CSV table of all heavy atoms in Angstrom, one decimal:
chain,number,residue,atom,x,y,z
A,1,ALA,N,15.7,-4.5,19.7
A,1,ALA,CA,14.4,-5.0,19.5
A,1,ALA,C,13.6,-4.1,18.6
A,1,ALA,O,12.8,-4.6,17.8
A,1,ALA,CB,13.7,-5.0,20.9
A,2,MET,N,13.8,-2.8,18.7
A,2,MET,CA,13.1,-1.9,17.8
A,2,MET,C,13.5,-2.1,16.3
A,2,MET,O,12.7,-2.3,15.4
A,2,MET,CB,13.4,-0.5,18.1
A,2,MET,CG,12.7,0.6,17.3
A,2,MET,SD,13.1,2.2,17.8
A,2,MET,CE,11.9,3.2,16.9
A,3,PHE,N,14.8,-2.2,16.1
A,3,PHE,CA,15.3,-2.4,14.7
A,3,PHE,C,14.8,-3.8,14.2
A,3,PHE,O,14.5,-3.9,13.0
A,3,PHE,CB,16.8,-2.4,14.7
A,3,PHE,CG,17.4,-1.1,15.3
A,3,PHE,CD1,18.7,-1.1,15.8
A,3,PHE,CD2,16.7,0.1,15.3
A,3,PHE,CE1,19.3,0.1,16.3
A,3,PHE,CE2,17.3,1.3,15.8
A,3,PHE,CZ,18.6,1.2,16.3
A,4,SER,N,14.8,-4.8,15.0
A,4,SER,CA,14.4,-6.1,14.6
A,4,SER,C,12.9,-6.1,14.2
A,4,SER,O,12.5,-6.7,13.2
A,4,SER,CB,14.7,-7.2,15.6
A,4,SER,OG,16.1,-7.3,15.8
A,5,ALA,N,12.1,-5.4,15.0
A,5,ALA,CA,10.7,-5.4,14.8
A,5,ALA,C,10.4,-4.7,13.4
A,5,ALA,O,9.5,-5.1,12.7
A,5,ALA,CB,10.0,-4.7,15.9
A,6,LEU,N,11.1,-3.6,13.2
A,6,LEU,CA,10.9,-2.9,11.9
A,6,LEU,C,11.4,-3.7,10.8
A,6,LEU,O,10.7,-3.9,9.7
A,6,LEU,CB,11.6,-1.5,11.9
A,6,LEU,CG,11.0,-0.5,12.9
A,6,LEU,CD1,11.9,0.7,13.0
A,6,LEU,CD2,9.6,-0.1,12.6
A,7,GLY,N,12.6,-4.3,10.9
A,7,GLY,CA,13.2,-5.1,9.8
A,7,GLY,C,12.3,-6.4,9.5
A,7,GLY,O,12.2,-6.7,8.3
A,8,ALA,N,11.7,-7.0,10.5
A,8,ALA,CA,10.9,-8.2,10.3
A,8,ALA,C,9.7,-7.9,9.4
A,8,ALA,O,9.2,-8.7,8.8
A,8,ALA,CB,10.5,-8.8,11.6
A,9,ARG,N,9.3,-6.6,9.4
A,9,ARG,CA,8.1,-6.2,8.6
A,9,ARG,C,8.6,-5.5,7.3
A,9,ARG,O,7.7,-5.0,6.6
A,9,ARG,CB,7.2,-5.3,9.5
A,9,ARG,CG,6.5,-6.1,10.6
A,9,ARG,CD,6.1,-5.2,11.7
A,9,ARG,NE,5.4,-5.9,12.7
A,9,ARG,CZ,6.1,-6.6,13.7
A,9,ARG,NH1,7.4,-6.6,13.7
A,9,ARG,NH2,5.4,-7.2,14.6
A,10,GLY,N,9.8,-5.6,7.0
A,10,GLY,CA,10.3,-5.0,5.8
A,10,GLY,C,10.4,-3.5,5.8
A,10,GLY,O,10.3,-2.9,4.7
A,11,ILE,N,10.4,-2.9,6.9
A,11,ILE,CA,10.4,-1.4,7.0
A,11,ILE,C,11.9,-1.0,7.0
A,11,ILE,O,12.6,-1.3,8.0
A,11,ILE,CB,9.7,-0.9,8.3
A,11,ILE,CG1,8.2,-1.4,8.2
A,11,ILE,CG2,9.8,0.6,8.4
A,11,ILE,CD1,7.5,-1.2,9.5
A,12,ASN,N,12.3,-0.2,6.0
A,12,ASN,CA,13.7,0.2,5.9
A,12,ASN,C,13.9,1.4,6.8
A,12,ASN,O,13.1,2.4,6.8
A,12,ASN,CB,14.0,0.6,4.5
A,12,ASN,CG,15.4,0.9,4.2
A,12,ASN,OD1,16.3,0.3,4.8
A,12,ASN,ND2,15.7,1.8,3.3
A,13,ILE,N,15.0,1.4,7.6
A,13,ILE,CA,15.3,2.5,8.5
A,13,ILE,C,16.3,3.4,7.7
A,13,ILE,O,17.4,2.9,7.3
A,13,ILE,CB,16.0,2.0,9.8
A,13,ILE,CG1,15.0,1.1,10.6
A,13,ILE,CG2,16.5,3.1,10.6
A,13,ILE,CD1,15.6,0.3,11.7
A,14,LEU,N,15.9,4.6,7.5
A,14,LEU,CA,16.7,5.6,6.8
A,14,LEU,C,17.7,6.3,7.6
A,14,LEU,O,18.8,6.7,7.1
A,14,LEU,CB,15.8,6.6,6.1
A,14,LEU,CG,14.7,6.0,5.2
A,14,LEU,CD1,13.7,7.0,4.7
A,14,LEU,CD2,15.3,5.2,4.0
A,15,ALA,N,17.4,6.5,8.9
A,15,ALA,CA,18.3,7.2,9.8
A,15,ALA,C,17.9,6.8,11.2
A,15,ALA,O,16.8,6.4,11.5
A,15,ALA,CB,18.3,8.7,9.7
A,16,ILE,N,18.9,6.9,12.1
A,16,ILE,CA,18.7,6.5,13.5
A,16,ILE,C,19.3,7.6,14.4
A,16,ILE,O,20.4,8.1,14.2
A,16,ILE,CB,19.4,5.2,13.9
A,16,ILE,CG1,18.9,4.0,13.0
A,16,ILE,CG2,19.3,4.9,15.4
A,16,ILE,CD1,19.7,2.8,13.1
A,17,SER,N,18.6,7.9,15.5
A,17,SER,CA,19.0,8.8,16.5
A,17,SER,C,18.7,8.2,17.9
A,17,SER,O,17.7,7.7,18.1
A,17,SER,CB,18.3,10.2,16.4
A,17,SER,OG,18.7,11.0,17.5
A,18,THR,N,19.7,8.3,18.8
A,18,THR,CA,19.5,7.7,20.1
A,18,THR,C,20.0,8.7,21.2
A,18,THR,O,20.8,9.6,20.9
A,18,THR,CB,20.3,6.4,20.3
A,18,THR,OG1,21.7,6.7,20.2
A,18,THR,CG2,19.9,5.3,19.3
A,19,SER,N,19.4,8.6,22.3
A,19,SER,CA,19.8,9.3,23.5
A,19,SER,C,19.7,8.3,24.7
A,19,SER,O,19.4,7.2,24.5
A,19,SER,CB,18.9,10.5,23.7
A,19,SER,OG,17.7,10.1,24.2
A,20,ILE,N,19.9,8.8,25.9
A,20,ILE,CA,19.9,8.0,27.0
A,20,ILE,C,18.5,7.4,27.3
A,20,ILE,O,18.4,6.3,27.9
A,20,ILE,CB,20.4,8.7,28.3
A,20,ILE,CG1,20.8,7.8,29.3
A,20,ILE,CG2,19.4,9.7,28.8
A,20,ILE,CD1,21.8,8.3,30.3
A,21,SER,N,17.4,8.0,26.8
A,21,SER,CA,16.1,7.6,27.0
A,21,SER,C,15.2,7.4,25.8
A,21,SER,O,14.0,7.0,25.9
A,21,SER,CB,15.4,8.5,28.0
A,21,SER,OG,15.3,9.8,27.5
A,22,THR,N,15.7,7.7,24.6
A,22,THR,CA,14.9,7.7,23.4
A,22,THR,C,15.7,7.0,22.3
A,22,THR,O,16.9,7.2,22.1
A,22,THR,CB,14.5,9.1,23.0
A,22,THR,OG1,13.9,9.7,24.1
A,22,THR,CG2,13.6,9.1,21.8
A,23,VAL,N,15.0,6.2,21.5
A,23,VAL,CA,15.5,5.7,20.2
A,23,VAL,C,14.5,6.1,19.1
A,23,VAL,O,13.3,5.9,19.2
A,23,VAL,CB,15.6,4.2,20.2
A,23,VAL,CG1,16.1,3.7,18.9
A,23,VAL,CG2,16.5,3.7,21.3
A,24,SER,N,15.0,6.8,18.1
A,24,SER,CA,14.2,7.3,17.0
A,24,SER,C,14.7,6.8,15.7
A,24,SER,O,15.9,6.7,15.5
A,24,SER,CB,14.1,8.8,17.0
A,24,SER,OG,13.6,9.4,18.1
A,25,CYS,N,13.8,6.5,14.8
A,25,CYS,CA,14.1,6.0,13.4
A,25,CYS,C,13.3,6.8,12.4
A,25,CYS,O,12.1,7.0,12.6
A,25,CYS,CB,13.8,4.5,13.3
A,25,CYS,SG,14.8,3.4,14.3
A,26,VAL,N,14.0,7.2,11.4
A,26,VAL,CA,13.4,7.8,10.2
A,26,VAL,C,13.0,6.7,9.2
A,26,VAL,O,13.9,5.9,8.9
A,26,VAL,CB,14.3,8.9,9.5
A,26,VAL,CG1,13.6,9.4,8.3
A,26,VAL,CG2,14.7,10.0,10.5
A,27,ILE,N,11.7,6.6,8.8
A,27,ILE,CA,11.3,5.6,7.9
A,27,ILE,C,10.4,6.3,6.8
A,27,ILE,O,10.1,7.5,6.9
A,27,ILE,CB,10.4,4.6,8.7
A,27,ILE,CG1,9.2,5.2,9.3
A,27,ILE,CG2,11.3,3.8,9.7
A,27,ILE,CD1,8.1,4.2,9.8
A,28,ASP,N,10.1,5.5,5.8
A,28,ASP,CA,9.2,6.0,4.8
A,28,ASP,C,7.8,6.3,5.4
A,28,ASP,O,7.3,5.5,6.1
A,28,ASP,CB,9.1,5.0,3.7
A,28,ASP,CG,8.4,5.5,2.4
A,28,ASP,OD1,7.3,6.1,2.6
A,28,ASP,OD2,8.9,5.2,1.3
A,29,ILE,N,7.2,7.5,5.1
A,29,ILE,CA,5.9,7.8,5.6
A,29,ILE,C,4.9,6.8,5.3
A,29,ILE,O,3.9,6.6,6.1
A,29,ILE,CB,5.5,9.3,5.1
A,29,ILE,CG1,4.3,9.8,5.8
A,29,ILE,CG2,5.3,9.3,3.6
A,29,ILE,CD1,4.5,10.1,7.3
A,30,ASP,N,5.0,6.1,4.2
A,30,ASP,CA,4.0,5.2,3.8
A,30,ASP,C,3.9,4.0,4.7
A,30,ASP,O,3.0,3.2,4.7
A,30,ASP,CB,4.2,4.7,2.3
A,30,ASP,CG,4.0,5.8,1.3
A,30,ASP,OD1,3.3,6.7,1.6
A,30,ASP,OD2,4.6,5.7,0.2
A,31,ARG,N,5.0,3.7,5.5
A,31,ARG,CA,5.1,2.6,6.4
A,31,ARG,C,4.8,3.0,7.9
A,31,ARG,O,5.0,2.1,8.7
A,31,ARG,CB,6.5,1.9,6.3
A,31,ARG,CG,6.8,1.4,4.9
A,31,ARG,CD,5.8,0.4,4.3
A,31,ARG,NE,5.5,-0.7,5.2
A,31,ARG,CZ,6.2,-1.9,5.2
A,31,ARG,NH1,7.3,-2.0,4.4
A,31,ARG,NH2,5.9,-2.8,6.1
A,32,LEU,N,4.4,4.2,8.1
A,32,LEU,CA,4.3,4.6,9.5
A,32,LEU,C,3.3,3.8,10.3
A,32,LEU,O,3.5,3.4,11.4
A,32,LEU,CB,3.8,6.1,9.5
A,32,LEU,CG,3.7,6.7,10.9
A,32,LEU,CD1,4.9,6.6,11.7
A,32,LEU,CD2,3.2,8.2,10.8
A,33,GLY,N,2.1,3.5,9.7
A,33,GLY,CA,1.1,2.7,10.3
A,33,GLY,C,1.6,1.3,10.7
A,33,GLY,O,1.4,0.8,11.8
C-alpha cells in the first residue's frame, strides 16, 4: 500500500528498509511533502 501510494504520485523509491513494525523508503527530498 505504501509503495503503491508513492508510485501513483510518481515518487521514485530509491531504497527500502523494513522491519517487523516499520517500513521506510528513501525518496528525493523535493518530493517529501
Side-chain angles (χ1 to χ4, degrees):
M2 181 181 192
F3 305 153
S4 293
L6 294 173
R9 290 159 181 82
I11 300 170
N12 190 34
I13 299 171
L14 305 173
I16 298 167
S17 176
T18 62
S19 73
I20 199 157
S21 61
T22 306
V23 179
S24 300
C25 295
V26 177
I27 61 167
D28 188 316
I29 189 72
D30 295 335
R31 301 301 309 271
L32 181 58

